[in-house]
Amino acid sequence: MEELNLNLDPNLMYGDSIEGVRNQATELANLIKESQDFQELLRLGKLINLDPEVNRLIQAIRIKEQAYSDESDSSLAELHRQLEALPAFENYMKAENAARDLFKSIDQVITEVAGVEYASNAKRSSCGCGG
Amino acid sequence: MRPMRNVPVAVAVVKKEEKMKLSDELLNAAQNFGKILGETKQVKDFKSAELNTINDAESAELENRLNVLYTHLASQEQAGTALERGELDEYYLLRRKVMGNPLISAREDQRQMVKLLFADVNQTMTAILGIDFTILAL
């Protein structure tokens, strides 16, 4: 006899309603993806990935962070300052902030209508404590 | 100190932040998504369980006491003040009582069901967007 695994089959776990919810999620995600703010974030994200100076500074920050122990060492802050001063990175951060505003507003609408906070409950726990 | 998981943070609150103006299409899609989520058994059961705790004087009082004590301890910790053993013991004792309360426990069980559903559905959005919706939304 076939064994049912409720944890692996969301339709059994949640009932038929999951398909309707997924359809609405798909529609919403497609609209977000088409939005100007999100497209700009993707465009600028690709640009900074190709920017050698941005990549050099990010790499230097990563190395510094791994080895960082002396709180009086200001070189990490200086690297951050240099990175943030680069026009390509500055533009990317502006686009990210605009995308954040968009996502937060969407989350607010979902939350208000559903009556339960969406993003904070949808966020996967990283602690492995089941939360 | 870790945030308490028994504080009813999952219930929607009226946010005071200024909302960005969404296009009609996005607004409708977000509303439709919120509506269908609100109609799921998981959300309905959670809201019902939440209401039970609010309407039960003992549960409400227990949670209120825990929240007050937690806020007090957290502010002390933030100020760099050493936490007193007695207050910490009181906090853990109270937390055990809160988690052992059948109505609160039932609500937390329902909250987990909401989280499972939302996390599952969020994967659909993540697959389309290429990034986790919650990372930018929170």
Side-chain angles (χ1 to χ4, degrees), chain B residues 9-39:
Chain B
V9 289
V11 175
V13 289
V14 178
K15 296 187 177 178
K16 293 194 173 74
E17 280 174 45
E18 187 81 12
K19 229 186 308 188
M20 172 186 183
K21 179 103 175 79
L22 297 174
S23 70
D24 288 347
E25 263 189 321
L26 266 175
L27 182 64
N28 284 338
Q31 285 172 334
N32 289 340
F33 183 47
K35 185 168 183 287
I36 202 163
L37 283 176
E39 287 166 355

Side-chain angles (χ1 to χ4, degrees), chain B residues 8-9 17 38 44 48 70 78 80 83 87 89 92 102 111 125 130:
Chain B
V9 289
E17 280 174 45
K44 284 181 180 171
S48 167
Y70 174 77
Q78 272 186 345
L83 304 179
E87 280 187 325
D89 288 345
Y92 288 118
R111 189 197 305 279
M125 294 179 75

Side-chain angles (χ1 to χ4, degrees), chain B residues 104-116:
Chain B
I104 294 171
S105 170
R107 183 197 65 201
E108 293 310 304
D109 288 348
Q110 293 306 326
R111 189 197 305 279
Q112 289 310 310
M113 298 310 289
V114 167
K115 282 177 175 281
L116 280 173

Side-chain angles (χ1 to χ4, degrees), chain A residues 14 22 37 105 112 114 117 130, chain B residues 10 20 42 47 112 116 120:
Chain A
Y14 304 132
R22 284 209 184 108
D37 286 331
S105 294
E112 281 168 9
E117 287 191 1
Chain B
M20 172 186 183
Q42 288 83 355
K47 285 184 188 171
Q112 289 310 310
L116 280 173
D120 183 291

Side-chain angles (χ1 to χ4, degrees), chain A residues 39-49 88 91-92 95:
Chain A
Q39 284 300 317
E40 186 67 352
L41 179 70
L42 293 182
R43 187 182 73 80
L44 294 173
K46 281 178 193 161
L47 276 184
I48 63 162
N49 278 337
N91 289 338
Y92 174 78

Side-chain angles (χ1 to χ4, degrees), chain A residues 11-104:
Chain A
N11 289 320
L12 290 172
M13 194 171 166
Y14 304 132
D16 294 339
S17 61
I18 188 74
E19 274 315 306
V21 179
R22 284 209 184 108
N23 288 342
Q24 293 295 340
T26 300
E27 192 184 326
L28 176 60
N30 280 325
L31 285 170
I32 294 171
K33 195 175 179 181
E34 289 166 12
S35 71
Q36 198 181 338
D37 286 331
F38 192 72
Q39 284 300 317
E40 186 67 352
L41 179 70
L42 293 182
R43 187 182 73 80
L44 294 173
K46 281 178 193 161
L47 276 184
I48 63 162
N49 278 337
L50 297 172
D51 188 311
E53 186 58 6
V54 169
N55 281 309
R56 184 188 70 77
L57 284 167
I58 288 175
Q59 186 66 16
I61 287 169
R62 281 190 186 138
I63 291 168
K64 200 82 188 165
E65 278 176 343
Q66 280 167 4
Y68 196 53
S69 57
D70 184 0
E71 285 183 16
S72 64
D73 183 357
S74 60
S75 58
L76 182 62
E78 174 56 25
L79 287 170
H80 275 287
R81 197 199 58 71
Q82 285 178 29
L83 178 65
E84 284 156 19
L86 292 176
F89 192 78
E90 198 183 348
N91 289 338
Y92 174 78
M93 289 312 294
K94 278 183 191 160
E96 188 180 299
N97 287 334
R100 279 186 193 280
D101 286 346
L102 174 72
F103 277 49
K104 282 177 196 289

